[in-house]
Every structure is written in structure tokens, then in C-alpha cells.
Amino acid sequence: MPNFCAAPNCTRKSTQSDLAFFRFPRDPERCRIWVENCRRADLEAKTSDQLNKHYRLCAKHFDPAMVCKTSPYRTVLKDTAIPTIFDLTSHLKNPHTRHRKRIKELTEEDLRKIKERRLASSIDQLVSKKDAAAEDNSNTNEDEPQLSTEEKEFRDYLRSLFEVVVMLAKQSIPLAVDKASEAEHKSDNFQALLDYRMNAGDEALRKRFDATAVNTEYLSATQRGQLLDVCENTVREEMLMEVRESRFFSLVTGDLVEFANEKHLPLFLRFVNQQNVLREEFLDFMPFDGDESALVERLEAQLTDRWGLSMEDCRGQAHKATGASTTKMKAVAVLLMEKYPLLLHMPCSHTALNIHLANNLPFPNVQIIMETLRRICAFFRTPFTQDELEKAISTHYQKNEEKGATLKQACGPGWTEQHNVFDVLLDMLAPLLLCMDSIRDNDDGKFADVVTADAYSIIETLADFEIIVTIVILKNVLTFTRAFGRNLQGETLDVFCAANSLTAVLHSLNEVNDNIDVYHEFWYEEAVSVATVMEIPVRVPRLFLRKQRAADVGEIQAEAYFKEYVTIPVIRGIMQEVDDMFSETNVKALKCLSLVPAIMGQMKFNTTEENYADVYRNDLPNPDTLPAELHCWRIKWKHRGKEVRLPTTIHETLQLPDVKFFPNVNSFLKVLSTLPLLKLEDHKSDIASERLQAYLDSMPAKQWNRSLAMLNINTHVKHDLDVMVDKYCRLYPEDDPEAEAESEEVVEEDVVK
């Protein structure tokens, strides 16, 4: 998060230079002097706490004698430092330019006080320079604790270790490889990198390891774990500081990840930072063992006890669960909403609604299809297998080249995660089996045994009439939610339109349910037609027939069986999921998006946010004035100038300089922005869940490491190696040379006694 200088006519920010930036002091008297010297009239009404929290001055505004560089990565101010260097005239060269940081005009009394204060400040600074010179001559510094030579060497050694850890994380390098093929190859990447640094001239490491015994490990597993923990916690704390400042956030969980044969739940937080930018950051992996109640307790403890957040400020939740974990996460969402009614359960913007709905259906045949889709996605990631699929499509659709070309385009990367996945899967079913047969035969020996085995397994799954019927029914039922789901992943106006079209979607699904006999007849005929083309026998599942015979019940016809056990459960399951995901409270929240000016304009400024504002009434700074404020908000945009463009998103609206004059609207938009349903403004490559998946794909599962994964995903977060070193020395003082020396003295005394 960049820091901006608060001084007038200064445009420096932390991302454009290596300058240090300093917070306004908390001491009210010193803070007042800083503000007066800045000549920023708009800062005079703010408290010292507010200024300390939100405003900075860069080092260019301080006398160099007041700035101390304690290390290559840390710069601090002396306690008596006062900013005295300002540009207060350059804006006069262009008087027509608008300035956000307006300069206060001084009266004669103000000038007299400033002269007196500057005189006193000059004397103090002169004294401080003399003191500094005296301290340099005597090699003592009373402001900072003096470190012994051993302590300095130990801290340099720790810094080298942390640099290696950070580099391993950034480059997705595992701590260890599977095995060394030759004797000279190291099986431990961490140790190999330490060797490389020592050979390259790292004296801190060289001295440390030269002093260790020959048979002693460079670094024990315990010490390595401690380094990783400190790194991970330092980076996480940087992000949590931003979350606490923003107050409101939403919880998003990902699909389960397995470390050392234990399942873990990835935890993400959504929040709007101090620059009014929506962020979604990965924070940690949480163990997934125990029942639903245990998971809820663990989640609460993680967020409140460990991270210092309040569950009362959590405004949304979304869970990207698959397979057996789906039912448990749905129960977790229900328990959380019972405790915290404003923790709204919604789909996540990263996942297509139709995929989310299908994943949440607790039927074995549907779950088999979703798992097969994930396997197909992984199978065709390599160019060789993708080429085989395109050849099979060309062969199957040689009499309809246009359809073949369309299908090739549709089955590109990520097609298994699209809204129309079941339409594409059904069209591609025959060429898909043709492709798998070719890979399984492997006539030219191009594919490895593991690839041919995967191809055979996928064939066995798809060449089943029950699977074909289920795909056909999913395709047809989810047609009614496809446009609705696309709108939910669209722009803010699209989401608002989707919220208003929910009634029509539910009406269509109810109409299908009421006339299920007619719809099932058409869908069953379609499934039979597809199976006939692929030469797959139409029959009732063997397991069901065996149970029937054991119960001595008459045989059931295939069409009746699939209607009762597939069509009806799927349509009712989808209806229930839509109803749960878009409850009355959820829809009210989404309809509040009409606060965005472009939506107000689309509605001819005839909006009624007051009818839905009760959902977040307690989150507003002045709820009693909301109706009047909303009226002024509409009038402002309705009577704007012709050249003024209406902001189209929450992000654009929050960036407006005058939104601060509408405190209720400002707070309202920030809360709405955190809802998991709304898409992030950043590019897809910047989404934390995508970075997590990239890490998992970059190496075999047995080389995954929780701490390295967290650091890899958050390489964009600014970190300070000196902070990590300080934290390590505080947490593990037994490793410090001074502590070791003291313990040796105690041992010697015991021996003497």
C-alpha cells in the first residue's frame, strides 16, 4: 500500500522512490507543530490519532541531522524532529490549477509565533547536531541499545537465512527434492542455497557454520520451522493491519489442500483498503478436521483470537467447496449465519454460478460428473493431449466443419469452469471418448502409462448411460440460471439487474417443476439419442437392479427410474440452492447497488435505497440522516453538468473526492463492496486464489509447504527483514549468543558447585 506525502506541493509517494515516510506524532503538541509547519488548514481539525493513522511526511521535509538510518532497511526520526523544509510557492506559478492540499494564508500573529518556534527549533537542532557529533566520537548512542559483536554477527546470520527463505517462496522452490540422482546433488534445496551463498562470499553464514561441529546439521528442522513461522506471521500481520483499519470484511474459503496427509481449508479475506480499493488476500490454511461445530469454533478463534478481528464486522461469506466437503461447508455457513445474521452466504465471484450450483448438489452421480470435469481439465493441460482432442473433434465433425471449429474454440483452457460447461460437454462427449480411446491405444507410444491409465478411467466414467442422462438434465435445468449467473459475474449494473431478475428465474424453475413429466420426456429422449450415437446401452444402473431383486420388487422402466432418481432430485436441488443463496436479505443488499450513480441514471434517478437500507443501518455513521443524504446524493447526480460522466462501479464512486461529504453513502458503498459476489477490479492474475492454484500446480503435492505457499501467494506484500530478525530474537531468545553465553556460565557454575 503506497504512502503519499501530506506536504503541500509534494507529490512523492513510497512506490516511486526509496525515501522514508514518517507518521505524524501521537503527542498532541508535537503534532500541532507539524501541522502548523505544513500550512495545511484542512489538517488542523483532525486529532493527533487521526493524523498518525492516515498521514505521512517524506524525509525531504526534515533536516538531514534529524533523520537516522539505523540499518539499510530502516530509517527513523529523532524524538525532537520537526519538519521545516517545504515548498509553499510553486503552486503560484499556475493559479488556475486545483490543489487538494490547500496552503493556509498566515496572519501576522501566526508569522510571529512561527518565527519564535523556528528560532527555538534551530537551537534544539544545533544542540542535537553537537550531541550527535559527540556521540560519534565516543562511539556510543544512548538512543539505541548497543549490540555486542556476537549479537551483530548473529543478526546478520539471521538476515541471510530470512533472505533465503523469502527467495525460496518467491521462486516456488520446494524445501527439498524427492531424491538425488547423483551423489553430489543435494536433497535439501535450503541447504544447497546456503552453500551457494557461503561460496559467493556471505561471511555471516560462513562464520556461523565454520563454528559448528562436523556432524551437526546446518539448520535443524525446528529452527527451520521457526524461521518459516516468523516470515509467515510478519507478512500476515502487514495485511491484517489493513483489514483492521478498514473494519468491514468478508470471509472466502477455497477448495481443500492437503499438507502431510492432513486436509486444510484456505482462508481469504475481502476488504476495502484506505485507498478505497477492493482487495482479496490469502491469510492462512486452517485444519479441516472435526465436525461442523468444531470448524465454526476454529474459524472464530482464528479470526478473533489470533488475528484480532471482530466477527461482528464480517459482512459476507463464500465457500468454494467440492466433493465430500460441500455438505460440511454448507452446514458451517448456516451455523455462522445463525450467530451473525449479517454474515450473508453468497456465491463467490471467482466461480460460475452453474458450477457452484452443481458442486452443491449432494447426489453421487452429479458429484462424479463434477470430479470428472476437474480430471478432464487437468488431463488436457499438456499440448499433446489437447492436440489429440482437436484431432478427434475434426474427425467426428468432418461433415460439419463449422460446428467443429466452434467446439474447438469452446474447449480452450478453463472451459470446464464456464457457465455453459454442460452444453459444451454434451456436444464434445463423442469426440472426447474418441480422443480417450486413441490415447489409451497409444499406437505410436507417445503417451506415458499414467496418461493412458487416466484416459481409460475417464472413458469408464463417461461411457455410462446414467452419467449421460445426468449431464443432459444438468444442461437443461441450468439453462434457466445461465444468464442470471453471467450477470452476477458482470459489472455492477449487471449484478443489480440480476438481483431484480431473480423472481423470473425462480418462476421458470417452478414452472419446470410443475410440468416435470413433459420436460423429463423431452430430456430423456435427448439422452437416449446421445447414447445411441455413442453405442452406449440404455439401461437402469446395475446396483439399483440388484437391490430391487433382493427386495423382490417388480422391475422399473428406465425412463421412470431416471425421472424419480435423477430429474426430480436435480430440479428440486437447484431450486433449493438458488433459494438459499439469494435469500430476502441477500437480494436487499444487492438492490442497494442502486447507490452507484450509473445505476441511478439507468433508473432515471427514481431509486428507493431507503427501503433496503435497514440491512446495514447499524453500520452507518449517521443513520437518522440517511433519507436526507440519499436525496442530496440523487440531486447531485441528476443535475450534474453534461460533461460529467456517471461512475459505473463502486470502486469509481469511492474514488470521487466529494464522496466524503456523504458519510452514510460512503460507508454503505464500502460495506457493499466487500460482498463476495461482486467481482474484483484487478486483473485475474492478481486474484489470490489464482496465485494459490499457480503455486499448487508448480510442484508435486508432496513438496507443498504451508508457510512457503503463504509467502509465495503474498510476494506483493511489503516485508522488512529487520522486523523478521527482531521478531525472531524476541520469540526465540535461547538462540541468541548472549543467551547461550549466559546458559554456559550457569552450567559452569553448577559444575564448580
Side-chain angles (χ1 to χ4, degrees):
M1 182 178 70
N3 291 318
F4 296 87
C5 184
N9 296 324
C10 182
T11 58
R12 298 182 186 93
K13 59 181 180 179
S14 56
T15 55
Q16 296 176 340
S17 69
D18 295 328
L19 275 178
F21 282 73
F22 306 108
R23 297 175 182 270
F24 276 66
R26 288 188 183 277
D27 177 60
E29 182 58 27
R30 281 191 66 214
C31 188
R32 182 181 62 78
I33 296 173
W34 281 38
V35 171
E36 286 185 2
N37 285 9
C38 282
R39 299 266 298 275
R40 287 277 302 276
D42 59 312
L43 299 185
E44 292 180 353
K46 299 184 183 298
T47 65
S48 58
D49 286 338
Q50 290 174 324
L51 292 166
N52 175 266
K53 187 175 182 180
H54 300 298
Y55 293 88
R56 314 281 193 278
L57 288 178
C58 69
K60 289 289 185 182
H61 305 292
F62 295 86
D63 187 295
M66 296 292 102
V67 181
C68 304
K69 201 167 183 66
T70 59
S71 78
Y73 299 91
R74 180 180 297 174
T75 305
V76 298
L77 282 178
K78 292 195 173 181
D79 291 340
T80 58
I82 299 292
T84 56
I85 305 169
F86 294 98
D87 172 16
L88 302 175
T89 59
S90 63
H91 67 286
L92 299 175
K93 297 176 184 178
N94 189 0
H96 301 292
T97 304
R98 294 180 63 188
H99 292 275
R100 177 175 62 84
K101 299 182 281 191
R102 294 188 180 278
I103 299 174
K104 178 182 177 182
E105 298 296 332
L106 297 178
T107 63
E108 292 184 4
E109 180 66 18
D110 292 332
L111 290 170
R112 185 183 63 78
K113 289 181 179 179
I114 288 174
K115 285 179 181 178
E116 291 176 356
R117 192 175 297 114
R118 282 186 178 174
L119 179 62
S121 176
S122 299
I123 295 171
D124 290 342
Q125 290 188 13
L126 183 62
V127 171
S128 68
K129 285 180 181 178
K130 291 180 179 178
D131 291 343
E135 287 169 357
D136 289 338
N137 292 333
S138 61
N139 292 322
T140 60
N141 190 341
E142 297 178 0
D143 293 336
E144 298 178 15
Q146 293 301 303
L147 299 176
S148 65
T149 304
E150 291 80 6
E151 286 177 316
K152 288 180 179 177
E153 290 178 352
F154 180 67
R155 293 175 74 86
D156 290 340
Y157 158 71
L158 284 178
R159 167 182 279 278
S160 296
L161 294 181
F162 281 122
E163 284 180 353
V164 172
V165 170
V166 171
M167 194 275 288
L168 284 170
K170 282 186 175 180
Q171 301 301 323
S172 299
I173 301 174
L175 287 174
V177 294
D178 295 340
K179 58 182 179 180
S181 56
E182 299 177 18
E184 65 269 16
H185 286 177
K186 296 289 183 184
S187 61
D188 189 323
N189 289 329
F190 191 84
Q191 181 172 316
L193 283 169
L194 294 179
D195 286 339
Y196 178 81
R197 283 187 67 105
M198 283 189 288
N199 293 333
D202 192 322
E203 291 301 322
L205 286 176
R206 172 67 64 189
K207 287 181 181 178
R208 183 74 177 181
F209 292 140
D210 282 349
T212 59
V214 176
N215 296 326
T216 305
E217 285 184 300
Y218 277 1
L219 205 65
S220 69
T222 302
Q223 289 173 313
R224 185 181 299 175
Q226 292 169 350
L227 288 171
L228 290 169
D229 285 344
V230 169
C231 263
E232 183 182 353
N233 290 330
T234 303
V235 171
R236 183 185 297 114
E237 186 56 33
E238 285 291 326
M239 294 183 287
L240 286 173
M241 284 174 62
E242 291 191 77
V243 181
R244 295 184 199 113
E245 287 178 354
S246 65
R247 182 185 170 189
F248 297 110
F249 63 94
S250 285
L251 171 68
V252 179
T253 65
D255 206 0
L256 297 182
V257 181
E258 196 167 300
F259 297 105
N261 298 320
E262 292 183 359
K263 292 181 179 179
H264 290 76
L265 187 69
L267 302 180
F268 304 83
L269 293 184
R270 274 196 177 204
F271 60 97
V272 177
N273 65 12
Q274 293 300 307
Q275 282 69 47
N276 291 327
V277 176
L278 176 61
R279 299 260 300 279
E280 182 175 298
E281 300 291 358
F282 171 75
L283 272 294
D284 203 358
F285 294 99
M286 188 185 78
F288 193 68
D289 54 326
D291 59 11
E292 294 84 354
S293 299
L295 279 177
V296 170
E297 290 178 8
R298 195 175 298 130
L299 261 176
E300 289 181 292
Q302 187 95 336
L303 268 69
T304 56
D305 299 341
R306 288 188 56 192
W307 295 352
L309 304 175
S310 171
M311 292 298 294
E312 299 291 345
D313 294 332
C314 192
R315 288 294 170 267
Q317 57 176 322
H319 307 291
K320 186 183 176 182
T322 59
S325 64
T326 305
T327 305
K328 185 181 284 191
M329 290 311 299
K330 284 170 67 176
V332 167
V334 171
L335 290 174
L336 285 173
M337 282 195 69
E338 287 177 356
K339 283 190 171 184
Y340 311 100
L342 287 182
L343 213 166
L344 305 182
H345 185 204
M346 292 182 168
C348 185
S349 61
H350 314 325
T351 307
L353 178 64
N354 282 355
I355 297 289
H356 178 84
L357 294 173
N359 275 331
N360 280 5
L361 293 177
F363 311 124
N365 48 344
V366 176
Q367 290 303 317
I368 288 170
I369 291 171
M370 301 310 295
E371 176 59 30
T372 305
L373 281 171
R374 290 188 285 274
R375 290 171 57 197
I376 289 172
C377 179
F379 187 85
F380 288 108
R381 278 181 187 157
T382 61
F384 288 141
T385 52
Q386 184 67 24
D387 289 344
E388 286 294 323
L389 178 59
E390 292 184 6
K391 288 178 187 175
I393 292 173
S394 298
T395 302
H396 184 76
Y397 288 103
Q398 56 186 339
K399 294 182 179 179
N400 189 349
E401 293 183 1
E402 186 179 349
K403 178 71 177 287
T406 303
L407 201 54
K408 284 180 187 179
Q409 191 174 2
C411 70
W415 71 270
T416 57
E417 299 170 2
Q418 300 301 313
H419 297 277
N420 62 341
V421 58
F422 299 107
D423 300 73
V424 176
L425 178 60
L426 199 60
D427 288 339
M428 205 168 61
L429 211 49
L432 187 61
L433 290 182
L434 186 64
C435 169
M436 293 297 179
D437 283 334
S438 174
I439 293 174
R440 184 187 62 174
D441 294 341
N442 200 20
D443 293 333
D444 52 5
K446 184 165 57 175
F447 299 103
D449 290 343
V450 65
V451 177
T452 58
D454 284 344
Y456 178 76
S457 175
I458 292 172
I459 290 172
E460 288 295 299
T461 302
L462 294 178
D464 185 314
F465 185 66
E466 183 181 18
I467 296 300
I468 292 174
V469 172
T470 307
I471 293 172
V472 169
I473 290 168
L474 284 171
K475 181 206 78 165
N476 286 289
V477 173
L478 293 174
T479 300
F480 297 102
T481 59
R482 188 192 304 160
F484 176 69
R486 279 205 179 102
N487 282 339
L488 288 177
Q489 285 192 306
E491 301 300 330
T492 311
L493 177 59
D494 299 323
V495 179
F496 179 76
C497 293
N500 286 283
S501 67
L502 178 64
T503 304
V505 173
L506 291 173
H507 177 77
S508 299
L509 291 172
N510 276 306
E511 196 270 336
V512 173
N513 186 52
D514 293 341
N515 299 280
I516 195 65
D517 293 337
V518 177
Y519 281 95
H520 173 72
E521 184 179 346
F522 284 110
W523 296 345
Y524 182 75
E525 287 178 4
E526 184 181 358
V528 170
S529 175
V530 172
T532 303
V533 170
M534 299 169 57
E535 299 178 349
I536 295 173
V538 176
R539 61 188 179 192
V540 175
R542 180 178 54 82
L543 182 60
F544 179 80
L545 288 175
R546 192 188 342 170
K547 289 180 179 179
Q548 265 199 325
R549 289 175 189 140
D552 195 20
V553 179
E555 289 192 10
I556 187 173
Q557 294 299 315
E559 183 175 351
Y561 166 81
F562 288 112
K563 173 189 168 185
E564 183 177 349
Y565 292 98
V566 181
T567 304
I568 293 177
V570 166
I571 184 65
R572 291 180 180 170
I574 295 293
M575 290 171 64
Q576 186 61 51
E577 283 300 318
V578 172
D579 203 43
D580 291 344
M581 285 287 104
F582 302 97
S583 64
E584 184 181 352
T585 306
N586 291 19
V587 173
K588 276 186 176 182
L590 294 179
K591 286 185 176 181
C592 291
L593 292 173
S594 57
L595 284 168
V596 175
I599 300 178
M600 295 171 67
Q602 191 77 13
M603 304 292 291
K604 307 299 182 186
F605 299 97
N606 187 24
T607 55
T608 54
E609 294 84 5
E610 301 93 305
N611 296 339
Y612 314 115
D614 287 344
V615 179
Y616 299 117
R617 183 177 178 81
N618 293 332
D619 298 336
L620 305 180
N622 303 300
D624 294 334
T625 64
L626 179 63
E629 187 176 313
L630 289 176
H631 176 72
C632 295
W633 181 251
R634 292 189 202 101
I635 295 299
K636 166 185 167 58
W637 295 107
K638 186 174 182 179
H639 299 291
R640 73 193 185 283
K642 290 183 179 180
E643 72 284 355
V644 178
R645 187 183 71 88
L646 292 173
T648 58
T649 65
I650 294 180
H651 173 71
E652 280 186 38
T653 310
L654 287 174
Q655 297 301 320
L656 297 171
D658 51 355
V659 75
K660 63 185 177 183
F661 298 118
F662 300 87
N664 288 316
V665 171
N666 191 23
S667 299
F668 219 141
L669 290 172
K670 286 184 177 181
V671 174
L672 289 174
S673 191
T674 64
L675 295 179
L677 190 64
L678 300 179
K679 74 172 188 176
L680 296 167
E681 297 290 334
D682 296 335
H683 295 296
K684 191 176 182 182
S685 58
D686 294 329
I687 297 176
S689 58
E690 297 290 335
R691 297 197 295 269
L692 170 59
Q693 192 58 50
Y695 172 83
L696 299 178
D697 292 341
S698 67
M699 65 185 73
K702 53 186 166 184
Q703 294 181 351
W704 294 344
N705 180 278
R706 280 183 56 184
S707 298
L708 287 184
M710 191 272 179
L711 293 170
N712 176 270
I713 297 163
N714 294 304
T715 51
H716 61 289
V717 178
K718 191 176 180 180
H719 60 272
D720 189 334
L721 293 176
D722 286 331
V723 173
M724 293 181 183
V725 171
D726 290 342
K727 189 174 290 188
Y728 186 93
C729 292
R730 276 199 318 273
L731 292 173
Y732 309 107
E734 65 274 6
D735 293 338
D736 193 282
E738 293 292 321
E740 290 177 3
E742 289 176 8
S743 64
E744 288 174 4
E745 290 175 7
V746 171
V747 170
E748 288 176 3
E749 289 176 5
D750 290 342
V751 171
V752 171
K753 289 177 182 177

